[in-house]
Amino acid sequence: MNIGYCLTGSFCTFSKSMEVLEALVKSGHNVTPIMSENAYSIDTRFGDAVDIQNKLIQITGNSIIHTIEQAEPIGPKKMFDVLAIVPCTGNTLAKLAGGVTDTSVTMATKSHLRNSRPVVIGVSTNDALGAAAKNIGALLNYKNYYFVPFGMDNCLLKPKSMVCDFSKVQETIELAEKGLEIDKKVY
């Protein structure tokens, strides 16, 4: 399967997302990394941008799509069977729910959806039970969106924060390609 794998600015989850990428590639999938402009360019306490870029290229063997111009042909060329956004921040959730196309990831999604192909969302946001809740709710009802099971990651210190179950990303992608939802039991 050809998979477009998007990363947005939840930098603290990049290491888990890289593990998923490695598993997808080892399973024989062709994975192309796509990064939002911020995810692509910002150095954080979780790693320098260039090191993350190099690791993505090393894992997948493919160049990173990181501009709107590079993402636009995804739909017309039918580049991917599934597009996954893991991690997907509250900011990206809001843009997707509102139809805003101003980043490489939102353009990739819009372009991919023109062919009624599946988009997998792996939520990772500190405001999932706050401002982002309405956007998650909206996307859960949109056609061609499939969510990786998610839950609270630290109810005491971050009472509105939720993150996807990274161990379920590959299964969610493989089921979404067939038009099927993963069992959404709370973990």
Side-chain angles (χ1 to χ4, degrees):
M1 178 175 7
N2 291 314
I3 300 168
Y5 195 97
C6 306
L7 293 96
T8 64
S10 177
F11 300 99
C12 61
T13 62
F14 278 14
S15 62
K16 291 179 181 178
S17 208
M18 299 278 190
E19 292 172 12
V20 172
L21 277 169
E22 289 175 337
L24 287 166
V25 171
K26 285 180 183 173
S27 294
H29 300 296
N30 177 37
V31 182
T32 300
I34 303 166
M35 297 181 82
S36 69
E37 288 78 350
N38 286 337
Y40 184 80
S41 64
I42 295 176
D43 295 331
T44 71
R45 63 188 170 107
F46 301 104
D48 291 340
V50 71
D51 294 335
I52 293 165
Q53 294 166 21
N54 289 334
K55 181 144 182 154
L56 285 169
I57 294 166
Q58 182 247 324
I59 291 169
T60 64
N62 290 312
S63 299
I64 301 168
I65 294 172
H66 60 93
T67 67
I68 290 173
E69 294 82 6
Q70 293 169 328
E72 187 278 329
I74 288 170
K77 292 184 178 181
K78 298 182 179 177
M79 292 172 61
F80 306 120
D81 301 304
V82 176
L83 186 80
I85 308 170
V86 183
C88 187
T89 61
N91 187 50
T92 299
L93 289 164
K95 290 178 180 197
L96 294 174
V100 176
T101 308
D102 65 351
T103 70
S104 50
V105 171
T106 56
M107 174 56 80
T109 305
K110 174 187 174 185
S111 189
H112 179 76
L113 282 169
R114 72 184 264 166
N115 300 312
S116 296
R117 292 188 174 179
V119 174
V120 170
I121 302 286
V123 170
S124 181
T125 178
N126 287 326
D127 68 346
L129 294 173
K134 66 183 177 191
N135 300 316
I136 292 169
L139 291 171
L140 282 166
N141 284 297
Y142 289 177
K143 187 175 181 176
N144 298 315
Y145 280 93
Y146 299 83
F147 277 73
V148 178
F150 58 97
M152 296 181 80
D153 60 321
N154 188 335
C155 63
L156 297 177
L157 297 179
K158 301 189 298 182
K160 294 183 179 182
S161 182
M162 296 184 97
V163 68
C164 71
D165 180 350
F166 284 89
S167 71
K168 301 285 187 188
V169 173
Q170 183 167 342
E171 183 182 3
T172 304
I173 289 171
E174 290 170 348
L175 287 169
E177 193 268 334
K178 298 173 185 166
L180 302 171
E181 291 276 354
I182 191 168
D183 186 5
K184 296 236 186 342
K185 293 179 183 170
V186 176
Y187 70 94

